[in-house]
Each structure stands twice: as structure tokens, then as C-alpha cells.
Amino acid sequence: MVVPSATTPARQETVALLLPPPSPAIPTVDMSAPRGRGALSRQVARVCAEQGFFRAVNHGVPMPAGPAARLDAATSAFFALPAHDKQRAGPPSPLGYGCRSIGFNGDVGELEYLLLHANPAAVAHRAASINTSDPSRFSSVVNEYVEAVKQLACDILDLLGEGLGLKDPRFFSKLITETDSDSLLRINHYPPSCTIHKLDHDDKCKLKRIARTKAGNGGNPTVVGGRIGFGEHSDPQILSLLRANDVDGLQVLLPDVEGKDGWVQVPADSSAFFVNVGDLLQALTNGLLVSVRHRVIATACRPRLSTIYFAAPPLHARISALPEMVTAGTPRRYRSFTWAEYKKAMYSLRLSHSRLELFHVDDDNSDGSKGK
């Protein structure tokens, strides 16, 4: 039985706006840098170990033209539809159209979204309720984008494998290129915060302003008008690639120069991808790589549109720390589990819970054999 950790608070109701954003700066990785001597792979491994998050530029996915622009146009057209038309693509259980409610355990955010399986057949099935006039066109646009961003995810994972010195540098990327991969595509639409919008027929979807309060982030003061767009969480999959328009809102929880965690505002950059380590990658590397916690605060007077590709293995894939990551000095931290088992735990918890805590190896069972 999965028992949620009693020590992990759900801090979704409060907002901490950082004025001005503190250090450290968001690391940037130039994906077009020379690779002959391994400098790029070592850089990717280093930033994923130190911060679990970086900004990827010169990544090879065409912008503003190309699959990214076509997907943005298609999804913007969907979110501009009347509420009753959008509701035909829902409810999100877990895939489909959702408004404000996130998951099944009471989490909410000031957004509406589409959550799609990154599989051509699954996209085609859902497209009929998203674009009733031309579902095949919508499917084509989504699949084109997924192929482009999946290639980028594989490129990053192969660099990680090389930078970590894995016996098989392509181990990570092979997990997400399996035909039955469980990767997802999420498109989030955050309406402007300076006006009140009605996202559906229910009053629960009216956007609410949050007055000045204290956040769980060390009591830092908040600012009137800040709203939780998407609450604090880590991504459960292997790797996430986020691309957004030029509207701020994303924040990541990073250590400062004194080692204290604080929320760092990520400057918007519509030409870049923002890459973060997921829970599974932290488990596969025995905790060497960090699954970064992040959130979205809606403060702008323009809508924010973000698209996230969640690279995941097949449901049956077994997640266990790689042999290269386990030594006498760094014993196994997490027991072996399948992605399906981890998803089940994820759906049973609130958004802010630290799910990996449930899979820690018992102190009296350091070899990790228990629970396999």
C-alpha cells in the first residue's frame, strides 16, 4: 500500500513572487557546441547533477517557423473556442482537456490544458474531439512536433549517458524510443492575470486573486495579484522539455550561493527549450542527477502558452539504479520498481509530494532487494 509522506506539505495555496530574482542564474547549454572532446556531454551532466535544469539553445528545432509554430497555432485556436466546445475533449482522466483541476486529489491551478499521449494512434483518437473540422490536420501537427522534440530529448539523454561515463551511453534514450513508450505531450494555457476570465460554465473556474500572504518558501513576502498557475511539483518521467511563449511565469527551486533553496524566476525565452530532470532519471542515476521542483506563477497581463514533452519509458520498464551509479561509497538509494508502479503512486498523491521518498531503500536493506 502506498502511504503519502506526512512530512511533505501541500503548499499550492500560497504564492511567492521573487523581486528581483535571486542567483543562481539559469544555466544555458548551446546544443550546437562541438562534441569531439566531450566538453558538451560533461556540461550537460554537470548542470543536471547540480541543478537538474537548464536552458537549451541552438537545439535544431525550427523556430518560429516549423512544427513548433504550427502546434502553437493549432492549440491556440482550440483554447479560443467556446467552453462547451472545449469540454467535448475532456474530462482529463487523465488524458484530454482539463480546466483548473490537476490530477485526482484536489490540486488546482489557474489554467486550462490538453494532455495527450505522444503516440500517433492515440493522438488520432483524441483529435476528433479537439478539432472537429479537420482532426487529421491536428494529428499531423501534433505528431510532427512530437517527432522533433523526441529527437532533441534523445540527443540530450545520449549526451548525459556519455557525460556520466555509462557503458552504454544510449541507455536512457533507448527507454523513450521503445514502440510502447508512455511519453506524453501537455499544452498549458494560462489566461491573463489582470482580468477575470470564465474558463467554463462552472463558477469554480473563475480566476481568483490571492492577497498578500507568506509563502512556505522561508516566509518570503508575496505580492498581491500573484496566482498559482501550476503548483509546486517535480516531473515523474525521465526528462521534460518545455517550450513557452514570451510570457514569464516558470519558477524553479534551486540552491543559492549559501546552499539554501529558493524560488528562481526563469526569464521567458520563446526560442529555447527548458529541460529538467525527472524522478525516473534521478532514480536511474542513484540520486546523482536532481529531479528539480518547479511551478508556474501567473502574473502577466497576457496569456501564457507552454508545451511540455514528457519523455517516459514503457509501463513495464523496470527502473533501477545503473551499476555504474552504485558504489561502496554510494549504496543503492531506491528500490527497483516499474514505471507503472510509480505512476500508480503518483496518481494517489497530491501534486507537491516527493514521490521518490516512497521508494527509498530501507536502512536495513541497503542492497535494494526488498520489494522487487
Side-chain angles (χ1 to χ4, degrees):
M1 181 177 69
V2 173
V3 181
S5 168
T7 62
T8 308
R11 295 183 289 178
Q12 187 160 331
E13 294 77 13
T14 58
V15 180
L17 298 181
L18 305 176
L19 300 173
S23 59
I26 301 301
T28 297
V29 173
D30 183 350
M31 296 298 295
S32 68
R35 306 189 180 193
R37 298 184 178 180
L40 181 59
S41 62
R42 290 193 297 272
Q43 181 190 14
V44 171
R46 185 178 66 254
V47 298
C48 287
E50 292 177 352
Q51 298 178 311
F53 181 86
F54 66 89
R55 170 177 167 263
V57 299
N58 298 324
H59 42 68
V61 179
M63 297 182 189
R70 288 189 282 274
L71 181 65
D72 286 353
T75 53
S76 294
F78 171 79
F79 290 123
L81 292 172
H84 60 84
D85 290 336
K86 290 182 285 190
Q87 289 160 8
R88 285 199 298 261
S93 56
L95 305 180
Y97 171 75
C99 171
R100 201 162 187 263
S101 294
I102 303 171
F104 309 110
N105 300 295
D107 290 300
V108 295
E110 303 299 355
L111 82 163
E112 54 181 344
Y113 59 90
L114 281 171
L115 186 59
L116 308 172
H117 200 288
N119 173 282
V123 171
H125 175 74
R126 182 66 63 174
S129 60
I130 296 174
N131 186 334
T132 56
S133 62
D134 194 355
S136 62
R137 170 62 178 165
F138 183 83
S139 297
S140 176
V141 167
V142 171
N143 292 332
E144 180 189 27
Y145 181 83
V146 166
E147 282 305 307
V149 75
K150 180 170 69 173
Q151 181 56 53
L152 176 58
C154 288
D155 197 16
I156 293 169
L157 290 172
D158 288 346
L159 286 168
L160 265 175
E162 179 184 335
L164 293 173
L166 299 188
K167 181 178 180 180
D168 179 6
R170 297 186 60 237
F171 177 86
F172 299 135
S173 64
K174 288 177 181 177
L175 286 172
I176 72 168
T177 53
E178 296 285 344
T179 55
D180 53 352
S181 161
D182 193 45
S183 299
L184 299 176
L185 187 70
R186 184 182 187 106
I187 304 100
N188 292 331
H189 175 251
Y190 301 89
S193 66
C194 55
T195 56
I196 300 297
H197 289 258
K198 194 175 181 64
L199 298 183
D200 65 11
H201 67 284
D202 197 324
D203 285 345
K204 73 178 182 180
C205 262
K206 288 182 179 178
L207 304 188
K208 299 178 176 65
R209 299 173 69 86
I210 298 176
R212 183 178 298 272
T213 183
K214 295 282 184 179
N217 171 28
N220 287 343
T222 66
V223 178
V224 172
R227 296 177 295 108
I228 292 290
F230 206 107
E232 174 188 345
H233 65 286
S234 64
D235 291 337
Q237 294 88 353
I238 293 176
L239 198 74
S240 303
L241 276 67
L242 178 147
R243 183 185 54 82
N245 61 2
D246 59 349
V247 177
D248 287 335
L250 178 63
Q251 296 181 353
V252 291
L253 191 63
L254 298 177
D256 60 19
V257 293
E258 297 178 350
K260 297 179 180 179
D261 286 343
W263 289 107
V264 178
Q265 182 74 42
V266 179
D269 183 350
S270 59
S271 67
F273 278 92
F274 293 94
V275 182
N276 66 270
V277 170
D279 295 349
L280 296 191
L281 194 52
Q282 179 170 325
L284 286 166
T285 60
N286 203 33
L288 177 64
L289 303 188
V290 180
S291 180
V292 67
R293 300 186 72 79
H294 52 287
R295 67 184 184 182
V296 173
I297 304 301
T299 61
C301 284
R302 292 185 296 126
R304 172 180 166 85
L305 184 70
S306 64
T307 302
I308 310 99
Y309 173 73
F310 299 104
L315 288 170
H316 60 78
R318 183 156 292 279
I319 306 301
S320 185
L322 296 173
E324 298 96 322
M325 302 290 107
V326 181
T327 67
T330 56
R332 191 178 301 276
R333 294 181 59 182
Y334 308 103
R335 67 174 178 85
S336 176
F337 55 88
T338 65
W339 171 226
E341 183 182 359
Y342 199 78
K343 282 186 72 173
K344 182 178 180 180
M346 174 186 71
Y347 288 135
S348 72
L349 302 174
R350 293 292 298 271
L351 191 64
S352 62
H353 276 284
S354 298
R355 297 171 290 260
L356 273 176
E357 290 182 359
L358 303 177
F359 296 85
H360 270 294
V361 170
D362 294 338
D363 291 339
D364 59 352
N365 182 50
S366 60
D367 66 353
S369 59
K370 184 178 179 180
K372 284 189 178 180

